Amino acid sequence: MTGYSKTGFGVSLIGSGSATPAQKVTNDQLALLVETNDEWVTSRTGIRQRRIIGPDESIAELSFKAAHSALKMANWEPESVDLILLATSTPDDLFGMAPKVQSKLGAKHAVAFDLTAACSGFLFALVTASQYLQNGSYKRALIIGSDQLSGWMDWTDRRSCVLFGDGAGALAIEATSKEKESFIGFELRSDGSRGDCLNLSEKRNFVPLIDSFQTQKGGFNTIQMNGQEVYKFAVREVPSLLQNVFDKYAISPDSLDWLLLHQANQRILNAVANRFSIPPEKVLSNLACYGNTSAATIPIMLDEAVRDGRIKAGHLIATSGFGAGLSWGVALFRWNGPF
Ligand code: UT7
């Protein structure tokens, strides 16, 4: 389906997939690298181990595997996909990783491109893709969130290197009739004035070119983070935006089946849930196994809970992504997949 339609369509969320690297690095193993210990990392973050991409793997391959798995769950032929949106801050090619995934999937009729919004990337991509479906431009979209932050870590900085991991997750969404709408609504925010508390910035490295001219030699620094500022930002802004969305769409937090937050820190998850008196058993968490996989946390968590039967068809889910930019967002949807 192509072309703009004023009629308007709904969006159905029907397939999920995920892929994570084989190498597991525990807190005890990281303690061989920096002055830390399992007790500190577990009690302050909830993280027990993270997955790190090894030489036989790549972020493009993990992205493909996650997307392929979502495609299978949705029971789609690759040629039927119209759009592939890949949220990442760490592509294997700065010109874009999504077309590589498209080609490997055999999704030859799809347009594929990358979108960057750090840890909010998957949520921003989900909202972006849903707009194409709701306005009738496209019928089927794959949204992928993947990151390989291990490549940009300062492995001597114990304040940040214990937090992150690598991985990929994906979601298949389809246009449906307005009456069957499952993507209830969203709010997105960004604030560059606070961007300094978390960044992966370019190196300002100028070298002689010709005569008196200089040119910049490309390259990036390692991840720099003011953990306490990011923590305060998350526990302040995420509940505020969730409240905004609950009010806007007349949803009571009691009616949620699941709270699916970006997996940054278990203490952040607990603080947000407490704010709405959402019981711990409704708060999805797999931080202990993967740490913070940036754009991949939400779809990896979703896929895990769909496949182990926790998330069932019709369940109401509130999700929130937040992180560098600073950027943050909330979306409300019902799961429609086959599980
Ligand atoms: O997608 C968003 C990505 N970013 C985040 O989610 C980060 C959000 N922030 C956080 O999760 C938390 O702020 C951290 C987990 C990063 C830090 O926890 P905290 O409770 O805010 O600890 P802190 O920074 O206040 O540090 C407390 C102490 C310090 O020692 P002193 O100065 O009190 O002696 C740190 O040097 O803990 C020390 N410390 C560590 N000790 C052992 C910091 N990192 C470590 C470590 N192991 N890995």
Side-chain angles (χ1 to χ4, degrees):
M1 186 194 306
T2 53
Y4 180 74
S5 159
K6 285 190 175 153
T7 321
F9 294 85
V11 171
S12 196
L13 298 93
I14 58 170
S16 66
S18 59
T20 52
Q23 296 187 129
K24 295 175 189 169
V25 181
T26 64
N27 293 340
D28 284 335
Q29 285 168 318
L30 275 188
L32 302 171
L33 209 57
V34 288
E35 200 182 324
T36 189
N37 56 77
D38 180 55
E39 201 282 323
W40 191 97
V41 183
T42 305
S43 62
R44 299 275 182 143
T45 70
I47 299 165
R48 293 183 182 275
Q49 63 174 39
R50 66 288 296 143
R51 304 287 186 102
I52 305 290
I53 287 178
D56 298 334
E57 299 166 317
S58 74
I59 193 64
E61 182 68 18
L62 292 183
S63 304
F64 158 73
K65 282 183 180 165
H68 186 256
S69 184
L71 190 101
K72 288 279 167 214
M73 190 189 288
N75 204 17
W76 292 350
E77 291 303 322
E79 296 83 3
S80 71
V81 179
D82 301 305
L83 172 69
I84 299 173
L85 258 184
L86 199 168
T88 186
S89 304
T90 52
D92 66 348
D93 182 333
L94 283 181
F95 287 165
M97 186 160 68
K100 212 175 281 181
V101 175
Q102 173 207 7
S103 148
K104 192 142 195 211
L105 284 170
K108 57 186 178 193
H109 300 303
V111 60
F113 58 94
D114 291 10
L115 180 154
T116 301
C119 297
S120 309
F122 180 80
L123 192 92
F124 281 31
L126 169 61
V127 170
T128 305
S130 74
Q131 305 307 295
Y132 285 103
L133 268 51
Q134 286 171 334
N135 73 25
S137 298
Y138 296 126
K139 188 159 166 37
R140 287 181 167 173
L142 280 171
I143 305 134
I144 307 162
S146 66
D147 265 310
Q148 183 180 4
L149 292 190
S150 61
W152 302 101
M153 206 60 62
D154 176 354
W155 290 106
T156 66
D157 178 9
R158 68 175 183 174
R159 292 165 303 146
S160 60
C161 77
V162 298
L163 298 180
F164 299 99
D166 303 333
L171 184 61
I173 68 172
E174 184 165 58
T176 179
S177 67
K178 202 73 196 155
E179 296 72 45
K180 291 187 181 160
E181 177 68 274
S182 295
F183 190 72
I184 297 162
F186 68 91
E187 285 284 342
L188 304 179
R189 299 279 188 278
S190 57
D191 178 5
S193 72
R194 288 186 274 169
D196 277 355
C197 43
L198 182 53
N199 56 49
L200 174 44
S201 59
E202 63 167 1
K203 278 187 175 143
R204 296 281 294 163
N205 181 16
F206 280 81
V207 293
L209 181 64
I210 192 167
D211 294 334
S212 61
F213 299 128
Q214 294 192 322
T215 185
Q216 188 172 352
K217 193 165 159 39
F220 290 86
N221 295 304
T222 52
I223 292 169
Q224 300 299 314
M225 184 182 73
N226 180 333
Q228 289 184 354
E229 284 307 311
V230 178
Y231 189 94
K232 280 190 262 172
F233 145 74
V235 298
R236 192 177 305 137
E237 301 293 4
V238 173
S240 166
L241 200 59
L242 273 165
Q243 185 66 60
N244 189 314
V245 169
F246 292 150
D247 293 345
K248 186 170 163 187
Y249 298 100
I251 296 284
S252 158
D254 297 346
S255 65
L256 292 179
D257 291 294
W258 299 106
L259 183 62
L260 170 48
L261 301 179
H262 167 51
Q263 307 282 297
N265 184 323
Q266 188 62 44
R267 282 156 57 213
I268 297 177
L269 271 55
N270 297 346
V272 175
N274 286 343
R275 175 76 187 272
F276 299 101
S277 303
I278 296 172
E281 57 273 20
K282 285 187 173 184
V283 182
L284 292 167
S285 172
N286 61 6
L287 267 163
C289 301
Y290 304 110
N292 178 346
T293 56
S294 187
T297 65
I298 292 173
I300 291 176
M301 185 65 253
L302 179 75
D303 186 50
E304 184 180 313
V306 163
R307 286 176 194 270
D308 70 18
R310 274 176 288 172
I311 295 181
K312 295 185 171 42
H315 275 184
L316 178 61
I317 301 168
T319 187
S320 176
F322 52 89
L326 294 176
S327 60
W328 64 109
V330 166
L332 278 174
F333 63 85
R334 284 187 191 279
W335 174 249
N336 290 114
F339 282 80

